[in-house]
Amino acid sequence: MQTAQLRERFASAAVARLATVRPDGAPHLVPVVFASSRDTVWLAVDAKPKRTTHLQRLTNLRRDPRCALLADHYEEDWRRLWWVRADGVGVVVDDPGEGHPGLAALVERHRQYRDRPPAGPLVVISVERWSGWSST
């Protein structure tokens, strides 16, 4: 697939999985909602219940910004399967401010954020490499 098609499929996914590197080198994987534009992906810490506000993904990115996002589509008709991976570098923005384009993109994409925009840190991922596969 061409880069433009990879970006388009990625952006169409409702959720992606964020992979970061723990301090001991082990992978850490969590599902995330996101917004994207070309080679930038945004995700935020929102008000959904969490055990702690000190999230491992943020600790990991602050220590080692390398990360990957994986979006995929599965259904019983295996002729329609695909996945897209975005490898990049993530930066944690602790106080992005109301006017940050990443927050605006998240609010525009996710209706749940319209009444209650994310108040926690914003993660900005600069995608350095797109890869993927499609059965068609």
Side-chain angles (χ1 to χ4, degrees):
M1 287 186 279
Q2 301 281 339
T3 300
Q5 188 177 21
L6 293 168
R7 287 181 185 129
E8 184 179 312
R9 286 199 182 194
F10 183 88
S12 75
V15 66
R17 284 83 181 155
L18 171 67
T20 58
V21 183
R22 287 181 180 270
D24 66 0
H28 180 257
L29 188 67
V30 292
V32 294
V33 296
F34 65 92
S36 62
S37 177
R38 298 201 42 85
D39 294 330
T40 303
V41 179
W42 300 281
L43 50 110
V45 177
D46 56 34
K48 289 189 298 294
K50 296 166 182 60
R51 285 183 283 183
T52 178
T53 56
H54 301 289
L55 300 179
Q56 187 66 50
R57 69 193 89 161
L58 302 179
T59 299
N60 296 345
L61 287 169
R62 286 184 173 112
R63 189 189 142 282
D64 184 343
R66 294 174 300 160
C67 60
L69 289 152
L70 179 71
D72 63 296
H73 174 78
Y74 177 84
E75 60 182 79
E76 292 299 320
D77 181 353
W78 286 5
R79 294 172 296 178
R80 297 177 54 131
L81 305 178
W82 60 262
W83 61 263
V84 175
R85 190 179 75 224
D87 298 318
V89 174
V91 174
V92 178
V93 180
D94 288 306
D95 187 15
E98 286 183 34
H100 195 287
L103 286 179
L106 285 162
V107 168
E108 182 178 323
R109 179 160 195 226
H110 301 286
R111 66 173 176 73
Q112 297 89 336
Y113 287 158
R114 292 186 190 130
D115 293 331
R116 195 169 181 185
L122 179 72
V123 175
V124 181
I125 298 171
S126 299
V127 179
E128 297 176 337
R129 180 175 178 259
W130 292 96
S131 58
W133 172 85
S134 173
S135 60
T136 56

